[in-house]
Amino acid sequence: MSLDKNMLSKLAVGDKHGEDSPYFEGWKAYDNNPFHPEHNPQGVIQMGLAENQLCSDLIKEWIKANPQASICTAEGIDGFSDIAVFQDYHGLKQFRQAIAAFMERARGGRVRFEEERVVMSGGATGANETLMFCLADRGDAFLVPTPYYAAFDRDLSWRTGVRIIPVECNSSNNFQVTRQALESAYLDAQETGIKIKGLILANPSNPLGTSLDRETLRTLMDFINDKQIHLVCDEIYAATVFAEPGFVSVAEMIQEMDHVNRDLIHIVYSLSKDMGLPGFRVGVVYSYNDAVVTCARRMSSFGLVSSQTQSFLAAMLSDQSFVDNFLKEVSKRVAKRHLMFTEGLKEMGVSCLRSNAGLFVLMDLRQMLKDQTFESEMALWRIIIDKVKINISPGSSFHCSEPGWFRVCFANMDEDTLQIALQRMKSFVLRDRENKNCNNKKRKSFQENLKLSFSSMTYDEHVRTPRLMSPHSPLVRT
């Protein structure tokens, strides 16, 4: 029996979640036919999920060496009663201390974070939404440079009613955001009566895989300070930076820019990407604004991190030797995997946007489009999903301003699977190239034959219509 939609809320019956977008549709294609080297070797390989599985062995080794860290082991059972009872939504003190210390180490020890400002949330998704509820009212807007994380539309807007105003960037300068682009988007919004409450940045960027240098950050912070609007900086890929320019946190910049109003600066962090623990749902809101910290903490009761998870992570992240080695290995292993994948693409003549961070690359397939339109991009994506059996994400799902760019994740699989994916992609690219060469030859041959045919024509002087010359014509013999 179907329920009358009038019985439900507009949110329940609406389509603003975005789960029908190509970004999520690709996941469904994988879920329906997942690749397995033995049980389903012809299945879809998942390269649309930015997940870090490169260092899980280090975490497993630590767990084996520290069984007392879990309340669900014989060695840690004595702590069960203390952890299983009700916990205040401020979170365990030792957990907040460990998270603050880890955030410092992930930023090279160049900044300090206060445990009192650490607010828990259910992953970065919950942290971003919490900040929207704290900083803006329904109908207010945030500027977001393109291309941006595909799920921002859901995370920032779906339940809050906050609007996203894309700030268009393009490949001519590697999609770097400029003060001019920000000013233009801000002015356009004002002229249409839209209230801009802030700017949202992902640094390092998803899907670009690039980090912002000091000069760019200084420009952006001057912009928000001049306008007196908020800056939300999503830094969940901080520890994945593997090449220059190194990672510079907004927390570093406010130490150098005394004139900036700290009440406008907010950081989102999580352990999903840097540590590869998305299933633990550990997100963090870190704000320099006391009122925001208070409000976010009150709201955190709707998305707490379990006390069992807090207790375990507090123990692991307090092991400084482990953390230092882990951060070193993350950067090293991401760099190795990035090189392996980009070199494999280069061998088949496919390039990527130059990147220095993240668990993905932005692959350039513009030369494979039938024409430079987003319709052609989607047609190519369909072929890659349905025929090549690889789930990658089209640039349009990230609001990229140019068709033909695709985000491809490389850290959520083992090397053997990555090589299979590269081989599939190589076969597809080479076949496409051969078909185009063949078509070009046919077109060239057709044009030459057409030219020859026209050169063999004469015209009737009276009706002026072409007729082929007889092979016995004296003109032909001449």
Side-chain angles (χ1 to χ4, degrees):
M1 185 178 75
S2 60
L3 184 66
D4 185 352
K5 288 187 176 182
N6 291 325
M7 298 289 290
L8 304 176
S9 70
K10 292 180 181 179
L11 186 71
V13 300
D15 59 355
K16 302 297 184 183
H17 180 274
E19 65 179 358
D20 294 329
S21 72
Y23 179 71
F24 292 112
E25 193 177 334
W27 288 13
K28 295 173 186 174
Y30 167 76
D31 289 340
N32 292 333
N33 184 24
F35 168 84
H36 188 278
E38 297 175 7
H39 305 307
N40 191 20
Q42 303 306 317
V44 176
I45 296 177
Q46 173 64 292
M47 303 190 81
L49 178 61
E51 191 171 70
N52 181 3
Q53 296 183 15
L54 301 181
C55 292
S56 58
D57 61 305
L58 301 179
I59 296 176
K60 291 176 183 177
E61 289 171 7
W62 188 89
I63 292 172
K64 291 177 182 177
N66 298 272
Q68 74 285 353
S70 171
I71 60 173
C72 296
T73 61
E75 293 82 357
I77 194 66
D78 289 343
F80 179 85
S81 295
D82 292 335
I83 297 301
V85 296
F86 174 79
Q87 302 292 336
D88 188 270
Y89 52 64
H90 285 69
L92 300 177
K93 183 178 179 64
Q94 63 266 34
F95 172 72
R96 288 185 285 113
Q97 289 174 334
I99 283 288
F102 183 78
M103 289 174 66
E104 292 173 3
R105 281 181 145 69
R107 289 152 182 78
R110 297 181 295 275
V111 292
R112 290 289 176 264
F113 291 102
E114 304 170 31
E115 63 177 88
E116 292 81 8
R117 294 190 178 279
V118 172
V119 181
M120 293 183 302
S121 183
T125 294
N128 275 308
E129 186 186 57
T130 295
L131 278 173
M132 293 301 99
F133 276 123
C134 292
L135 303 178
D137 293 314
R138 184 171 293 273
D140 291 344
F142 273 77
L143 302 174
V144 187
T146 66
Y148 61 77
Y149 172 47
F152 267 172
D153 294 314
R154 175 201 65 190
D155 299 355
L156 306 176
S157 301
W158 184 44
R159 299 197 298 184
T160 66
V162 172
R163 302 172 65 173
I164 291 180
I165 305 295
V167 180
E168 189 169 303
C169 306
N170 53 64
S171 62
S172 62
N173 68 341
N174 294 326
F175 297 102
Q176 292 183 358
V177 62
T178 64
R179 175 81 186 236
Q180 181 181 359
L182 288 171
E183 292 283 3
S184 177
Y186 183 86
L187 181 61
D188 288 346
Q190 279 198 320
E191 289 178 347
T192 55
I194 299 174
K195 186 177 183 180
I196 298 296
K197 294 300 294 285
L199 168 66
I200 297 177
L201 299 173
N203 180 35
S205 166
N206 176 8
L208 299 179
T210 57
S211 61
L212 297 173
D213 58 31
R214 265 187 161 73
E215 193 57 40
T216 301
L217 277 170
R218 188 172 287 111
T219 297
L220 300 179
M221 293 176 73
D222 279 336
F223 170 78
I224 64 102
N225 197 60
D226 291 346
K227 307 296 184 188
Q228 283 298 287
I229 59 177
H230 295 279
L231 173 61
V232 175
C233 207
D234 185 325
E235 298 185 346
I236 66 174
Y237 291 96
T240 68
V241 177
F242 56 85
E244 292 299 324
F247 177 66
V248 181
S249 171
V250 69
E252 286 185 63
M253 297 304 298
I254 60 174
Q255 295 177 162
E256 303 173 8
M257 303 175 70
D258 293 335
H259 65 284
V260 172
N261 182 357
R262 290 191 172 208
D263 283 345
L264 301 174
I265 308 299
H266 322 277
I267 296 173
V268 169
Y269 190 59
S270 85
L271 300 183
S272 297
K273 309 303 182 181
D274 287 351
M275 293 207 71
L277 300 173
F280 280 26
R281 306 311 301 148
V282 178
V284 172
V285 171
Y286 190 93
S287 176
Y288 292 90
N289 185 312
D290 292 343
V292 171
V293 171
T294 299
C295 179
R297 184 157 287 138
R298 290 169 179 164
M299 297 189 71
S300 69
S301 59
F302 295 100
L304 290 175
V305 179
S306 77
S307 54
Q308 179 185 353
T309 300
Q310 291 184 58
S311 176
F312 168 75
L313 289 174
M316 185 169 67
L317 298 183
S318 296
D319 187 335
Q320 296 183 9
S321 177
F322 166 77
V323 168
D324 289 342
N325 180 63
F326 185 90
L327 292 173
K328 187 189 305 179
E329 282 297 313
V330 165
S331 179
K332 185 191 303 182
R333 295 185 189 188
V334 170
K336 179 183 176 183
R337 182 61 67 87
H338 176 275
L339 180 64
M340 180 186 303
F341 186 61
T342 53
E343 286 296 314
L345 292 177
K346 189 183 297 183
E347 288 178 7
M348 62 184 88
V350 173
S351 63
C352 301
L353 185 77
R354 185 176 180 182
S355 57
N356 70 316
L359 310 171
F360 37 74
V361 294
L362 197 63
M363 182 169 64
D364 184 1
L365 295 184
R366 287 177 291 180
Q367 77 280 3
M368 295 185 70
L369 297 184
K370 183 178 180 181
D371 51 55
Q372 296 301 308
T373 64
F374 287 108
E375 289 77 15
S376 288
E377 176 181 279
M378 291 307 298
L380 178 59
W381 175 73
R382 283 286 178 196
I383 294 173
I384 294 173
I385 286 279
D386 297 336
K387 305 298 183 183
V388 188
K389 302 293 185 182
I390 297 177
N391 175 35
I392 61 177
S393 305
S396 54
S397 64
F398 298 91
H399 298 268
C400 188
S401 60
E402 304 171 8
W405 296 90
F406 294 80
R407 192 196 71 169
V408 192
C409 303
F410 54 70
N412 61 324
M413 64 194 74
D414 57 32
E415 288 188 12
D416 290 341
T417 303
L418 185 75
Q419 292 300 331
I420 293 171
L422 281 170
Q423 187 56 52
R424 288 186 184 183
M425 183 62 72
K426 182 178 181 180
S427 298
F428 172 60
V429 170
L430 294 182
R431 187 165 60 248
D432 178 78
R433 199 168 293 154
E434 288 173 3
N435 289 339
K436 284 182 178 177
N437 289 337
C438 182
N439 290 336
N440 288 336
K441 288 179 180 178
K442 288 181 179 178
R443 191 179 299 111
K444 186 176 180 181
S445 176
F446 173 77
Q447 290 171 343
E448 289 176 351
N449 290 335
L450 191 64
K451 185 177 180 181
L452 182 61
S453 297
F454 271 102
S455 67
S456 302
M457 287 183 177
T458 186
Y459 287 82
D460 187 294
E461 190 172 9
H462 299 291
V463 297
R464 297 194 178 279
T465 55
R467 59 182 175 83
L468 286 175
M469 298 169 73
S470 166
H472 304 294
S473 167
L475 291 175
V476 173
R477 289 198 297 271
T478 301

